[in-house]
Amino acid sequence: MESWSVDQVCNWLRQSNLGELVPKFREEEVSGAALLALNDRMVQQLVKKIGHQAVLMDLINKYKQQKHGLQSFAYVCEAGLPTLPEISGGNLKLCSARCRTCSYTLPNFPYDVKMVLGEKKYPDHSMRIRMVDCLQADMTKYLAGSLYPNSQQYNIVVGALMQAYPFLNEDGNGFLVWKQALKDRFKYVRRAIEDDEQVLKNKCKFGHRKGQSTKSSSVENKPNDVKAQKVEEPAYLEGDAMYVHINWLKQEYMKTLRNWKEVNNKMNATIQIRRKMICDKTPLKDILRLFPFLRCPYQLFREFQLLTHTDVYQKTVKILEIYSESILSLCLVKNNPINVMLQEHLKQNTEENVLKYMKMTAACLLLPDVFGDDSSLFAAVNEEVKVLTPVLEVKNPFNVNSCGFALYIEKQEVARLSDCTTALAALVAAFHVFNIQCPGRIQRTLKFLVSLIFEMNIPQAFLPGQVKRGLEMPKHPSVC
């Protein structure tokens, strides 16, 4: 913040809902250094409303406290004082480095992962899951079991990964992708705090129904009583070995730190019974109850890969990178509400990664409109999901701090998703994994995506005249 220009300070004010102060700050030429030097008297002269004065001073004080905490943290690490928990060679080691941040020593990845990285090859989907899992477990161990790292700690870890393996960031978007994957992993492993007596008292005090508790629901889902659960299993799960696999998967899903290698093995071992259930039109809630890992987007992608031998996530990344600019330049989306919302947010941000993320998100959401399909069957943007077929729920798509994506099937949430790329890949994968027929009113859009994912030629019948010109395939497309 110290090096911010006047324009950057003004952008920060807008993002902090203090846009009314921009003209005065611009008139007084308040830079980042001047902002941090403001005292109470200066703020009273600059800002008329008491509420704005309080918010501004609170934001400045929070930044100063955070900065002071980081400096103290770095000093303790460099001095080797005993206030930090002891850490082994595979955990965080902080030392003086560029950008005045702490460097991070990556954990020891599995041998096959190190071999692939040593050959400068981009890891496949299964290997990426294991890498993210190693990073998450290492951070959790260092943070004394905490599952709530701050943004600075995420940046340090992902920055170390990009520095050690620069080829992971060849597309210029690797830092953001790996950071989102790591944050998503931490969100995924957290569990709601069970209600104790004090929590229940607080709920009653603040208007919750007396006796309401989430503990009962969590206990119902917890696979402790093996006999009771075995009665609930479908009749064709009589094989003891198959039951052991399924019961293990359900118990492992309840854990915070999971054995992902064994999860992959068990999912492989149970794929036949899972495909039989899906082909027999078993209700989705029963499938997810027996195989809860299908709620994890990474396992959903892996299931798709087992069925099609295709990495749907990487293909989706390339699709959005190649076609996002072409989609946004089409005349038929110029006045679309999504595009209008995008242009408003683009004016408030200057960071290249954020701008690229916003454009890819907009291109993803505009796909049905490009092909003349029903967008309500593709994504519900800031709306309630109303359809039974796979659809995305999207909240605040262009707000990096509060955006949210989720996959819904039969009006129930199946998976929480970290970004538009993961969301689009999950939507395509859901139709294949759960063997759901594509609705006619969204068929053109999904045909376009499937054709690119499986590296087939785009059926020209699915491209209207203007779209044919705007979304022509590159002469040498690199969709892998």
Side-chain angles (χ1 to χ4, degrees), residues 188 191 221 223 229 241-255 258-271 273-274 287-294 299 302-303:
Y188 183 70
R191 285 287 172 265
N221 294 329
Q229 287 189 11
M242 187 64 67
Y243 171 74
V244 169
H245 287 322
I246 292 175
N247 190 54
W248 185 92
L249 285 169
K250 291 194 291 185
Q251 293 186 36
E252 193 72 7
Y253 185 76
M254 303 302 295
K255 296 180 180 179
R258 302 180 178 115
N259 183 351
W260 285 103
K261 184 177 181 180
E262 190 61 26
V263 167
N264 291 338
N265 294 336
K266 299 293 187 184
M267 291 293 282
N268 283 344
T270 57
I271 188 170
I273 190 67
R274 195 158 56 250
I287 296 172
L288 295 178
R289 179 173 60 83
L290 292 179
F291 304 100
F293 279 101
L294 288 179
Q299 286 297 324
R302 191 171 182 278
E303 188 91 346

Side-chain angles (χ1 to χ4, degrees), residues 330-332 463-471:
L330 293 173
C331 294
L332 54 85
L463 298 179
Q466 185 180 17
V467 179
K468 288 180 184 179
R469 296 190 296 273
L471 297 182

